[in-house]
Amino acid sequence: MKHRLEKTLVLGVAAVGLMAGSALAETELRMTWYNDGIEGEVMQGLLDKFEEANPDISVTLDVVPYDAILQSLPVQLAAGEGPDLARVTDLGGLSEYYLDLTPYISEPDYWRENFGPFLKWLDPEGDAISGFMTQLTVTGPYVNKTLFEQAEVEMPGEGATWDDWAAATKEVAEKLEIPIPMAWDRSGHRVAGPAISMGAKMFDENGEPALVDDGLKAMAQRLYDWHEDGTMAKELWGSVSGSQYLGANEDFANAQVVMYMSGSWQIPQFAETIGDAFDWWAVPAPCGPAACTGMPGGAALVAIKDTEHPEEVGKLMDFLSSEENLAEFYGKTLFIPGHLGLASGGVDFDTDDPRAKHALETFAGAVPGISPIAFDLQGYVNNRVMFNALISRLGEAIVGEITLDQAYDRMESDIEKEIAEKQRQ
C-alpha cells in the first residue's frame, strides 16, 4: 500500500511538472519557411536558443516547398489565416500583409542603420520596419569548369557577352556529348537581369511598368533561338506551364549542364551536393550593350500583421536580427549578408571549399555593378506581376504555342490587367 502511494505521488508530481512545463510556453508562434540548402537547420538551432532564453514562448518552424511560398502563402495571408512570421521572396508584393515592428522591437535605429537599404523593398511606399533579409542574393551563372578543361575550350573572360558564353558552352557540350549546354531557371526574375544588360528599361519616364522594349526583345529572341538550336533544352522550360518556377540545379549537379544561370543562393546546396566532384565555378554576369548585371534580391523573414502576438514576434525578431546571431546564420548557411555591419566587417563563412569561397567572392563582388534599373525593379511593388507575365508568355512562345510577337502583346496585356485588378481590390 505504501509502495502504491509512493508511486501515485511520483506520477502526480511528474504530471504537475509536465503541466507546469507546458504552461510556461504560454505563447506559440508559427514561422513558415522554405529551404534552398541547410538554412532551415541553422534557423532551428537559433530558435532552440531563443526558446531556452524565453521559456514562455515556443516557435514552430513549418518548412514548406518554395512553390508554396509563391502560391499558397499569399492565399493564406489574404484570408487572414497566415502564420506569425514567414520567409518570403515577393518582398514588396506581399507588403500589405506585413506587421510594422517598430513599436515592438527594442532598437529601431539599429534596424534602420543595418537593414536600411532593404527595408524599402519590404515597404516600397512607407518607412515601416517589417523584417530583415535572411539572405541578399545576386543572380548569375555557374559553369562546370572541369568540362571546359576536359574539352580544351577556353572559358570566356571578363566582359564576355551572353553570345560568347552560348557559343562556348555549345562547343564544350558537343565535344564531350553533354546533353544541355546552357540552362536557366525558369523565372522572370532570372531573365530580367540579362534583359537589362541588353538595354531593357522596365519602366517608362513616369515610373510606370513598361516591360516590352527593344532591350527585352533582344534577350527574349536569344532565349527563343537558343531553345531552337539546342543551346538550351526545351524539355526543361517546356515541362511546366504558366508562371511556374523550375530550376535546373539537379541537372547541373549531375554534370548534365555546362552553364547554369541561377544565383548565389545555390552556393550552400552545391557545396553539399557537388562538393569536389567537379569544379563548379561562379562567373560574373555576362554583358550586353547596356550593362553586365544580374538581379539583386533575396529572401526576407517578415512579421505578419494578423498575428495575435505582436510583442512576442518583436522579441523573436530582436533576437534573430542581432549581429551575433546573424553572423552565425550567414556564416553557416554561406549566404551573402543582408546586414550592412556584417557586410563591411566580413563574415567568417563556415567552409573550406575553395569553390564556395570563390562563388561567394564573385557574387559579393557583383553587387556594386548591379544596374540601378535592377534595384528599382526589385523594389517595385508589382514586380511579381511583371516577372510572371514575362516568363509565362515567353515560355509559351518557346514551346511553339504562340509567336514571340504574340507573346510581347500578351505580356503587356497581362501586366495591365493584373495591376488594374490589384488596384480595384
Side-chain angles (χ1 to χ4, degrees):
M1 183 74 172
K2 180 180 178 185
H3 175 71
R4 185 182 300 172
L5 179 60
E6 288 175 347
K7 184 176 180 182
T8 302
L9 287 172
V10 169
L11 290 174
V13 170
V16 170
L18 287 172
M19 290 171 61
S22 106
L24 281 174
E26 297 173 355
T27 302
E28 180 183 358
L29 303 179
R30 303 197 74 89
M31 181 187 297
T32 298
W33 188 268
Y34 77 92
N35 286 326
D36 284 318
I38 64 166
E39 62 267 35
E41 300 171 26
V42 180
M43 176 55 69
Q44 186 61 62
L46 292 174
L47 294 179
D48 291 344
K49 290 182 183 179
F50 174 79
E51 289 180 338
E52 185 177 349
N54 300 272
D56 58 327
I57 305 173
S58 66
V59 187
T60 299
L61 188 69
D62 294 315
V63 179
V64 300
Y66 179 57
D67 191 56
I69 298 293
L70 297 180
Q71 306 295 336
S72 304
L73 180 63
V75 176
Q76 295 170 2
L77 295 176
E81 299 174 353
D84 300 282
L85 306 98
R87 186 180 187 217
V88 301
T89 54
D90 187 6
L91 306 178
L94 297 175
S95 59
E96 64 182 290
Y97 304 114
Y98 301 160
L99 171 71
D100 184 359
L101 287 164
T102 308
Y104 308 109
I105 51 179
S106 59
E107 296 182 63
D109 287 344
Y110 165 84
W111 283 70
R112 294 191 177 95
E113 179 181 346
N114 288 288
F115 305 115
F118 315 116
L119 295 177
K120 194 69 177 174
W121 286 355
L122 300 176
D123 186 18
E125 299 175 358
D127 59 358
I129 298 174
S130 299
F132 64 88
M133 302 298 289
T134 58
Q135 69 199 107
L136 180 63
T137 62
V138 183
T139 64
Y142 297 86
V143 297
N144 187 323
K145 188 166 173 276
T146 301
L147 293 180
F148 274 91
E149 293 167 353
Q150 291 175 346
E152 297 182 340
V153 173
E154 186 175 353
M155 284 173 44
E158 185 177 353
T161 66
W162 277 108
D163 293 337
D164 295 333
W165 276 106
T169 57
K170 197 168 186 186
E171 183 181 355
V172 171
E174 289 173 350
K175 283 189 174 184
L176 301 180
E177 297 184 352
I178 303 300
I180 306 174
M182 185 164 61
W184 290 31
D185 287 338
R186 190 182 186 276
S187 160
H189 184 268
R190 233 63 81 238
V191 175
I196 292 169
S197 294
M198 297 303 297
K201 302 295 185 187
M202 297 296 170
F203 302 98
D204 63 21
E205 60 274 9
N206 298 317
E208 297 298 322
L211 177 64
V212 180
D213 59 14
D214 289 343
L216 186 283
K217 289 180 179 179
M219 194 68 248
Q221 184 69 58
R222 281 168 170 75
L223 287 164
Y224 179 90
D225 292 342
W226 291 335
H227 279 90
E228 289 295 303
D229 67 17
T231 302
M232 296 179 71
K234 279 189 179 182
E235 57 265 28
L236 291 181
W237 281 22
S239 65
V240 295
S241 61
S243 60
Q244 188 171 346
Y245 169 85
L246 183 70
N249 47 296
E250 291 184 6
D251 299 280
F252 182 75
N254 291 325
Q256 301 298 294
V257 176
V258 180
M259 182 182 205
Y260 175 35
M261 173 59 178
S262 190
S264 57
W265 58 92
Q266 300 286 6
I267 295 172
Q269 180 180 164
F270 288 162
E272 180 74 18
T273 60
I274 303 174
D276 60 359
F278 61 81
D279 279 337
W280 48 278
W281 215 242
V283 296
C287 296
C292 311
T293 188
M295 279 290 295
L301 181 64
V302 297
I304 304 303
K305 69 179 182 181
D306 284 335
T307 180
E308 296 178 358
H309 311 289
E311 291 85 3
E312 289 84 353
V313 168
K315 182 179 286 190
L316 174 60
M317 291 294 261
D318 267 340
F319 178 86
L320 294 175
S321 66
S322 73
E323 191 161 318
E324 177 185 358
N325 288 326
L326 277 183
E328 178 180 345
F329 181 83
Y330 294 137
K332 289 182 176 178
T333 58
L334 308 185
F335 285 159
I336 297 172
H339 180 288
L340 297 184
L342 290 171
S344 61
V347 170
D348 183 14
F349 290 110
D350 186 15
T351 180
D352 295 323
D353 189 330
R355 293 157 292 272
K357 287 186 175 180
H358 176 268
L360 286 163
E361 292 169 358
T362 298
F363 284 113
V367 174
I370 292 174
S371 166
I373 296 172
F375 274 110
D376 289 345
L377 179 58
Q378 184 61 26
Y380 176 51
V381 67
N382 289 316
N383 62 16
R384 184 67 60 181
V385 173
M386 297 175 71
F387 295 146
N388 287 349
L390 170 56
I391 201 62
S392 60
R393 297 307 185 179
L394 180 57
E396 289 175 351
I398 284 171
V399 299
E401 295 177 358
I402 58 177
T403 67
L404 269 178
D405 284 337
Q406 288 173 326
Y408 299 144
D409 289 341
R410 294 182 188 184
M411 287 177 198
E412 293 181 325
S413 176
D414 289 347
I415 293 169
E416 183 178 343
K417 289 178 181 176
E418 284 294 319
I419 292 179
E421 180 63 28
K422 279 176 167 269
Q423 291 172 343
R424 279 196 295 269
Q425 294 175 355

